[in-house]
Amino acid sequence: MTMNEHINRLGQSLIQHGPHSNRIYLMHCHSADSSSLVRSMKKLAEQEGYTKIVAKVPENDWPLFKKHGYKAEAKIPRYYKNGHSCFFACHYLVADRAVIKNEKMICTALKTAQNKVEKESINLAKGIGLPDHLKLRQLTENDVTELAGLYSKVFASYPFPIQDEMYLIKTMREHVFYYGLYHTSKLIAAASSETDPDQQNSEMTDFAVLPQHRGQRLAACLLAEMEKAMVQKGFQTFYTIARATSIGMNTTFVRAGYAYGGTLINNTQIAGQIESMNVWYKTITRPDLTS
């Protein structure tokens, strides 16, 4: 990976780590590895000088992590196919990393997003209307040069190398669906649905809109299209990890009916600095699964 970030397997589990976000991120926790993961991640963090470990763990494994000093900063109900929840368990190796330095700004952004939606009284059943002059479609490998260019323009830094064409191709071939909005044949906005077919959930992520085209709810259009497509593919739970100070992105998910799952403190290197992130989630009720 770029930016000295690494993705490695520990047993049957998967971690990302590196100095960029100065952390270890347990992206997939296999229950058979739980006990060894606690020890091996702490050892790796101490060796590399990382200041935070954030672990996505099934609710059955959460007590073990809690016993070793982890705190639950967020939770996604029904994250797993069996209906169990996912906990974002966090451990800090340096006390200063756990201190929220812009707590007032984060609280203001969260309250503003929630209040805006309450005042608007939006009828979500009507959906999001796409302006006639824009075209929205799923992106393919033929689009990666333009997509990488868009991400490079929007983000000064990002936790994953989405500015890298080869990375985009690799993820497209695996489990990530990218969508783009075009204005006069130019890509002006994009996002992705990073799916977990085994657990029937998807992370709605990588939202980027060129500055001159913001304020038109383009992110909402992308989100609505991705949700529609993923429901058709059988996914049940959607979630996102959004910048906690971004009123726009938090409002987008509140408008779409997502619930607040918690805030990950000083969690992610994005746009040039390490930022706190809000977790939002939404569960789709499908008649064929409840009958």
Side-chain angles (χ1 to χ4, degrees):
M1 295 183 67
T2 59
M3 303 175 295
N4 296 318
E5 297 289 305
H6 309 278
I7 292 182
N8 302 121
R9 287 206 170 273
L10 292 178
Q12 299 178 68
S13 302
L14 192 68
I15 66 168
Q16 181 210 32
H17 66 98
H20 192 59
S21 289
N22 195 9
R23 69 174 187 188
I24 296 173
Y25 178 23
L26 176 59
M27 298 187 292
H28 173 70
C29 174
H30 194 286
S31 294
D33 301 324
S34 295
S35 296
S36 60
L37 278 171
V38 171
R39 296 190 300 272
S40 57
M41 288 195 301
K42 183 178 181 181
K43 181 179 179 181
L44 177 61
E46 291 173 342
Q47 288 176 344
E48 300 295 334
Y50 300 143
T51 55
K52 181 175 184 176
I53 302 172
V54 54
K56 278 167 50 179
V57 300
E59 61 181 78
N60 288 347
D61 296 313
W62 160 236
L64 174 65
F65 283 80
K66 183 178 181 181
K67 180 181 178 181
H68 285 83
Y70 281 73
K71 294 183 178 180
E73 291 188 341
K75 176 184 176 182
I76 301 176
R78 297 190 62 82
Y79 179 89
Y80 298 97
K81 186 178 179 180
N82 61 9
H84 289 180
S85 300
C86 171
F87 285 80
F88 285 78
C90 298
H91 176 67
Y92 295 90
L93 289 90
V94 175
D96 186 60
R97 178 80 183 245
V99 178
I100 305 178
K101 298 177 177 61
N102 56 348
E103 185 173 7
K104 184 176 180 180
M105 186 183 301
I106 291 172
C107 290
T108 298
L110 182 61
K111 291 179 181 178
T112 300
Q114 293 171 329
N115 290 339
K116 283 177 68 175
V117 174
E118 289 177 4
K119 291 178 181 178
E120 289 170 354
S121 299
I122 291 176
N123 182 0
L124 294 173
K126 293 182 179 179
I128 303 296
L130 181 67
D132 293 336
H133 64 284
L134 299 180
K135 302 296 181 184
L136 195 163
R137 66 173 174 84
Q138 184 179 338
L139 303 178
T140 70
E141 293 182 21
N142 293 329
D143 303 307
V144 296
T145 298
E146 195 171 14
L147 179 58
L150 172 70
Y151 284 136
S152 295
K153 291 176 183 176
V154 173
F155 297 111
S157 63
Y158 204 74
F160 293 90
I162 56 175
Q163 302 96 334
D164 185 327
E165 294 180 29
M166 294 308 297
Y167 174 81
L168 295 174
I169 290 174
K170 179 178 182 295
T171 53
M172 281 183 181
R173 292 177 178 177
E174 294 175 345
H175 57 280
V176 182
F177 299 89
Y178 292 87
Y179 288 80
L181 271 167
Y182 285 83
H183 176 251
T184 61
S185 73
K186 179 183 179 182
L187 184 65
I188 63 169
S192 77
S193 178
E194 184 174 343
T195 65
D196 183 343
D198 292 337
Q199 301 301 334
Q200 296 183 341
N201 65 57
S202 179
E203 180 179 2
M204 304 308 201
T205 186
D206 302 333
F207 286 84
V209 180
L210 290 177
Q212 61 269 38
H213 293 280
R214 291 173 186 169
Q216 303 177 61
R217 297 193 181 179
L218 301 187
C221 293
L222 287 163
L223 178 59
E225 181 65 21
M226 291 194 299
E227 282 191 2
K228 179 182 177 181
M230 295 308 115
V231 168
Q232 291 175 348
K233 293 179 183 295
F235 293 95
Q236 300 179 61
T237 300
F238 304 139
Y239 69 101
T240 195
I241 304 174
R243 297 165 70 182
T245 57
S246 172
I247 294 175
M249 284 311 304
N250 286 282
T251 301
T252 293
F253 284 93
V254 176
R255 280 192 181 119
Y258 284 66
Y260 173 69
T263 299
L264 306 177
I265 300 170
N266 300 326
N267 192 74
T268 306
Q269 166 69 253
I270 187 169
Q273 60 185 347
I274 291 179
E275 298 191 18
S276 296
M277 310 291 284
N278 285 339
V279 174
W280 297 92
Y281 65 88
K282 180 178 184 178
T283 302
I284 303 299
T285 301
R286 292 171 51 197
D288 59 311
L289 296 175
T290 56
S291 59

